[in-house]
Amino acid sequence: MSALVDLKNRLAEINAIYAAAGMMSWDQQCYMPPGAGAARATHLSILSRMAHEMFTADEVAKALTQARSEVDPQSEEGALLRVVQRDFDMATKIPTALVEEKSRLEVESHEAWVAARKNNDFASFAPMLERMMEITRQEAEALGYRDHIYDAVLDRYEEGATAADVRAMFDTLRTPLVKLVQDIQERGKPTHDAALTGDWDQKKQSEFTELLAKSIGFDFTRGRQDTAHHPFCTGWSVNDVRITTRYLPYIGSAIFGTLHEAGHGMYEQNSPEKWDLTPLAGGVSLGIHESQSRLWENIVGRSRAFWRRFLPDLHSAFPALASMDLETWYRAINQVKPSLIRVEADEVTYNLHIMVRFEIECALLEGSVAVRDLPEIWNQKYQEYLGITPPNDSDGVLQDVHWSAGLVGYFPTYSMGNLLSYQFWNAMKKDLGDLDQFMADGQFTPILGWLKEKIYSQGRRYTPRDLVMQVTGKPMGAEDYLEGLTAKYRGIYDL
Ligand code: ZN
């Protein structure tokens, strides 16, 4: 047996374990009875340990090295080896003792964070966060980096991206975004979205959101939608992709939650079948993945053209909205309002929330600020960028789950997704012409087909940077995003 075949067989077994664990996690968030938590945690930790041991075994290292001499680095199999080597390095560079300490701390730290957020008591969470940051620093040192310690943690989520890239991205965004938000607040023609809040029938919401997901191209014969407290998308095969949404008094939550997750889901569903159950299937990075969810949620789902097609369906599903004409609805779903909470932020203010987090993460890793000073720094930055100060830490520095789980370096990928969504959209426009007309006619096949050909069918074959270059002819930049956003919102707010 060749080393490559041996490696593929091992990867297939590991994949099956991850599939089982993924399905159990999905069930945990969608259906599991509350009493099953401890048993589920035990099962999941055993499965993830088994997968980790199988993947980091000496035989895998040997097969990887030998297989390299068997394949052409430019071929698909060469790409497979590159991807597996990267995952292998990440899994083995960090000392096992640190991995174990982190997974123990995660449980403790999560509980401390939940309690601290509930009691508005940052001080009780601070020691845990300090330790988590110390572990993150050690992880970064183990993973290695060239210029800035942040590069190491960011690379885990966005291969090849650096702190300098992110800084440059935010330097370009900061002034125009802050100015746009100010103009909207000071001189914008007001928008009204009160009509979107009500006692909406859940079954109707489920049917309507499934109609939207199906219409844009999410394949329900190879996927399904369920409800979860925090919407997410997961899957374990290109033929089994699960999206979730939630039903809140604000009807936009379900609609845009579904469109967002369907964007992630279609990316996963359209990986090549031949790569199914291998490391080459799926999204290449968090930033590119987010570009797809944001593209379908914001550029498609919050466009006038999209609702030209779907407003009649919305009216018949929810007669209480029948008095909203296209213009009123379009302006309502695009309301811009600086708010304290990132997950509820609109398209314009969203990146300002991310900037705050990125700057704080860098300072924490560099050691230039102390954890105990975070509430004050957080509030200062919110005042500076969004013009508001959180009344308490629960709605301020304690709002996100990420840091309690050691997810440092993750936030910037949300902003990258925003930028790339517009960059990809403009590249598509060059090829396909009037995309608004397609949307108004309910013709999503050309749009999905283009994304499929250019992005989805590439799976993880190319690095995120190379893929962006290939598809758009330039590296990730802020121009398309700023231009698109400014034109859209100056129109909406009559500026
Ligand atoms: Zn997302």
Side-chain angles (χ1 to χ4, degrees):
M1 183 168 49
S2 75
L4 183 66
V5 173
D6 177 39
L7 181 68
K8 283 183 174 175
N9 290 343
R10 290 173 188 279
L11 293 173
E13 291 187 354
I14 296 163
N15 176 272
I17 295 182
Y18 279 127
M23 205 180 299
M24 288 163 85
S25 301
W26 166 83
D27 172 77
Q28 185 174 17
Q29 295 183 64
C30 295
Y31 292 105
M32 188 187 82
R40 185 61 48 92
T42 303
H43 285 146
L44 280 171
S45 74
I46 291 172
L47 286 181
S48 66
R49 180 175 50 76
M50 282 169 68
H52 184 79
E53 281 169 4
M54 285 164 77
F55 185 51
T56 55
D58 292 344
E59 291 84 349
V60 172
K62 258 182 245 152
L64 250 176
T65 313
Q66 277 173 24
R68 217 169 297 128
S69 62
E70 292 171 10
V71 307
D72 168 9
Q74 300 307 317
S75 66
E76 278 178 28
E77 282 167 338
L80 175 79
L81 293 186
R82 187 186 67 76
V83 164
V84 175
Q85 185 71 55
R86 172 176 156 80
D87 294 347
F88 183 82
D89 288 345
M90 296 243 191
T92 52
K93 275 186 180 171
I94 299 168
T96 318
L98 198 62
V99 174
E100 277 172 13
E101 189 193 342
K102 189 181 180 186
S103 70
R104 267 197 313 275
L105 182 65
E106 264 171 35
V107 178
E108 226 181 314
S109 159
H110 183 78
E111 274 170 29
W113 169 73
V114 171
R117 194 178 180 199
K118 189 164 158 246
N119 306 323
N120 187 33
D121 180 12
F122 180 78
S124 68
F125 172 57
M128 233 72 81
L129 185 57
E130 261 162 30
R131 184 63 200 140
M132 194 54 100
M133 284 299 161
E134 183 47 42
I135 289 177
T136 305
R137 265 192 293 271
Q138 289 178 29
E139 284 178 331
E141 295 299 342
L143 290 168
Y145 54 88
R146 217 181 326 166
D147 298 322
H148 192 282
I149 184 167
Y150 197 84
D151 299 351
V153 293
L154 177 61
D155 178 81
R156 291 202 272 202
Y157 309 110
E158 195 67 28
E159 184 177 0
T162 65
D165 297 334
V166 178
R167 208 164 274 135
M169 168 171 86
F170 287 142
D171 283 346
T172 318
L173 292 178
R174 193 176 293 110
T175 308
L177 283 185
V178 170
K179 171 93 171 57
L180 182 57
V181 174
Q182 267 170 6
D183 287 351
I184 288 172
Q185 286 198 296
E186 285 163 16
R187 300 187 283 115
K189 184 178 153 198
T191 56
H192 304 282
D193 72 346
L196 276 70
T197 300
D199 183 16
W200 309 106
D201 183 76
Q202 292 209 358
K203 189 159 173 282
K204 283 267 160 55
Q205 291 190 72
S206 158
E207 285 165 4
F208 183 68
T209 53
E210 289 200 10
L211 166 81
L212 295 182
K214 195 174 167 194
S215 303
I216 61 173
F218 183 81
D219 182 353
F220 280 91
T221 66
R222 301 187 294 123
R224 51 178 288 135
Q225 173 169 273
D226 295 270
T227 56
H229 190 57
H230 293 289
F232 65 98
C233 167
T234 186
W236 27 88
S237 161
V238 303
N239 295 317
D240 196 351
V241 175
R242 310 294 174 95
I243 58 172
T244 57
T245 194
R246 61 177 166 184
Y247 306 120
L248 300 180
Y250 175 73
I251 198 165
S253 290
I255 292 173
F256 298 105
T258 292
L259 290 170
H260 182 100
E261 300 308 333
H264 284 303
M266 291 191 291
Y267 190 176
E268 294 291 321
Q269 284 186 328
N270 289 294
S271 264
E273 179 98 42
K274 63 180 172 178
W275 291 344
D276 196 19
L277 315 183
T278 79
L280 277 185
V284 64
S285 69
L286 289 189
I288 308 243
H289 231 303
E290 196 66 7
S291 76
Q292 295 313 298
S293 54
R294 301 297 261 177
L295 183 148
W296 289 102
E297 175 196 353
N298 290 328
I299 305 184
V300 174
R302 291 185 210 267
S303 70
R304 198 185 265 115
F306 182 82
W307 290 102
R308 224 181 271 287
R309 163 66 188 81
F310 289 105
L311 198 65
D313 295 299
L314 180 83
H315 287 161
S316 60
F318 308 102
L321 293 170
S323 62
M324 289 200 109
D325 60 21
L326 181 62
E327 219 38 45
T328 320
W329 172 255
Y330 171 64
R331 300 184 74 240
I333 59 173
N334 284 295
Q335 187 171 72
V336 174
K337 199 169 163 195
S339 64
L340 295 171
I341 308 293
R342 174 186 61 85
V343 295
E344 288 160 15
D346 57 77
E347 215 185 344
V348 180
T349 58
Y350 195 93
N351 292 308
L352 301 172
H353 292 262
I354 303 299
M355 268 178 224
V356 170
R357 288 151 178 81
F358 167 69
E359 289 173 11
I360 290 177
E361 286 183 343
C362 277
L364 280 170
L365 287 185
E366 287 166 359
S368 58
V369 306
V371 165
R372 64 171 179 280
D373 297 328
L374 287 190
E376 208 191 313
I377 294 167
W378 181 281
N379 292 353
Q380 278 168 6
K381 288 191 186 290
Y382 262 74
Q383 190 56 49
E384 190 186 339
Y385 295 153
L386 287 134
I388 41 177
T389 298
N392 54 59
D393 292 337
S394 297
D395 289 335
V397 68
L398 285 170
Q399 68 181 269
D400 298 305
V401 69
H402 300 60
W403 292 342
S404 74
L407 296 173
V408 178
Y410 191 113
F411 285 118
T413 66
Y414 292 125
S415 290
M416 292 176 188
N418 288 336
L419 264 56
L420 286 170
S421 66
Y422 277 87
Q423 194 167 327
F424 287 139
W425 187 255
N426 282 351
M428 190 193 310
K429 235 192 275 183
K430 270 188 205 138
D431 287 350
L432 299 183
D434 190 357
L435 300 175
D436 278 352
Q437 194 55 52
F438 286 129
M439 293 195 281
D441 293 341
Q443 291 293 323
F444 296 97
T445 316
I447 296 174
L448 179 59
W450 188 93
L451 292 168
K452 218 153 130 172
E453 183 200 326
K454 306 280 180 182
I455 302 171
Y456 305 170
S457 66
Q458 308 302 330
R460 293 176 71 196
R461 176 163 186 175
Y462 303 104
T463 65
R465 269 171 197 256
D466 287 350
L467 186 68
V468 171
M469 277 301 285
Q470 260 176 49
V471 177
T472 69
K474 56 184 181 186
M476 183 187 78
E479 315 80 58
D480 297 78
Y481 171 76
L482 280 175
E483 203 184 278
L485 208 68
T486 309
K488 177 177 174 180
Y489 287 92
R490 294 215 172 265
I492 289 171
Y493 280 94
D494 207 8
L495 291 166

